[in-house]
Amino acid sequence: DGGITQSPKYLFRKEGQNVTLSCEQNLNHDAMYWYRQDPGQGLRLIYYSQIVNDFQKGDIAEGYSVSREKKESFPLTVTSAQKNPTAFYLCASSMALSQETQYFGPGTRLLVL
Amino acid sequence: GENVEQHPSTLSVQEGDSAVIKCTYSDSASNYFPWYKQELGKRPQLIIDIRSNVGEKKDQRIAVTLNKTAKHFSLHITETQPEDSAVYFCAASEGTNAGKSTFGDGTTLTVKP
């Protein structure tokens, strides 16, 4: 399970606040992904990045932003524009976008105060 | 875009029985179909996958079958054990975007001792 880490494990957000979730990998993977998981639902893609300094919107990008300044890091910011941010957030990576096997981080649970 | 439907949403079996989970997909261009297992509070992990050039793949007690004509694929677990209890997700993706999968909503499998 090592190789891709997320922090913090739990995060609390106050109304109107932006919060940033960390994702780091030491697998030398080019592609990284952010998913949101809600109870009873599958994983929904928020953003993905094929390579450093490049990222694309997924299916539910509104209210979120990302950066990919380093190969190892793909932080996700949940902005105040995201009105329903309470969820379990999973980061994943794969060798390349064309490579199927994804490796997931342990997740961050975001709660709204 | 791709749409993946997964059934049933919950499944309860007696230890030693078989379990079958089915998924259908909409995009005929999809050619990679992984299955992930997520234990409570943990990250999803790949348990088996299949590509469109084969119809069946087995790995010990787990097998996956694919019917490209009907656009459906299934996970079969034989001789179930309590440690098989988890949420199982199917996914589908296509070629050069193989890492960018569309997930089903998950099946909660409970194996009763």
Side-chain angles (χ1 to χ4, degrees):
Chain A
D1 285 351
I4 181 164
T5 59
Q6 291 182 241
S7 62
K9 187 172 182 179
Y10 295 95
L11 186 57
F12 298 91
R13 192 191 92 162
K14 296 179 181 178
E15 193 151 343
Q17 185 182 41
N18 292 355
V19 292
T20 298
L21 286 61
S22 169
C23 177
E24 304 277 332
Q25 53 96 1
N26 63 3
L27 300 168
N28 201 33
H29 285 173
D30 281 321
M32 297 187 74
Y33 316 82
W34 273 106
Y35 293 93
R36 171 179 171 140
Q37 186 175 27
D38 293 283
Q41 295 190 36
L43 283 65
R44 292 184 291 167
L45 185 65
I46 305 172
Y47 268 97
Y48 65 100
S49 169
Q50 295 187 65
I51 201 166
V52 175
N53 293 323
D54 178 74
F55 51 83
Q56 305 293 329
K57 292 182 178 180
D59 300 319
I60 55 165
E62 186 174 350
Y64 301 98
S65 66
V66 294
S67 63
R68 186 84 188 277
E69 297 175 2
K70 298 188 300 181
K71 186 175 186 178
E72 304 79 19
S73 180
F74 191 40
L76 173 74
T77 296
V78 184
T79 74
S80 57
Q82 173 49 246
K83 298 306 179 188
N84 184 24
T86 298
F88 189 53
Y89 291 87
L90 285 159
C91 178
S93 70
S94 63
M95 195 172 297
L97 190 62
S98 61
Q99 297 300 309
E100 303 99 343
T101 304
Q102 291 194 24
Y103 298 85
F104 285 86
T108 292
R109 190 164 299 279
L110 177 61
L111 301 165
V112 177
L113 294 176
Chain B
E2 175 66 276
N3 181 47
V4 176
E5 295 191 356
Q6 184 172 345
H7 298 281
S9 56
T10 60
L11 180 59
S12 181
V13 300
Q14 207 65 38
E15 182 177 1
D17 288 349
S18 295
V20 180
I21 303 170
K22 299 180 179 180
C23 288
T24 61
Y25 62 98
S26 61
D27 189 350
S28 56
S30 290
N31 55 13
Y32 175 66
F33 308 94
W35 286 89
Y36 291 87
K37 175 183 180 182
Q38 186 178 28
E39 296 177 10
L40 190 63
K42 295 192 175 180
R43 71 189 80 188
Q45 291 193 307
L46 180 72
I47 56 171
I48 196 168
D49 57 13
I50 191 168
R51 290 166 179 79
S52 60
N53 56 344
V54 297
E56 183 175 5
K57 183 177 179 180
K58 288 184 180 179
D59 182 4
Q60 299 182 337
R61 296 186 296 109
I62 294 173
V64 57
T65 58
L66 171 64
N67 183 327
K68 281 215 74 176
T69 303
K71 294 186 197 165
H72 66 73
F73 56 111
S74 300
L75 178 71
H76 304 253
I77 305 174
T78 59
E79 301 172 20
T80 53
Q81 300 166 4
E83 49 265 40
D84 294 330
S85 296
V87 180
Y88 291 82
F89 293 97
C90 64
S93 64
E94 175 275 322
T96 54
N97 288 319
K100 186 173 168 286
S101 296
T102 300
F103 286 78
D105 285 346
T107 296
T108 301
L109 173 63
T110 303
V111 180
K112 295 178 286 186

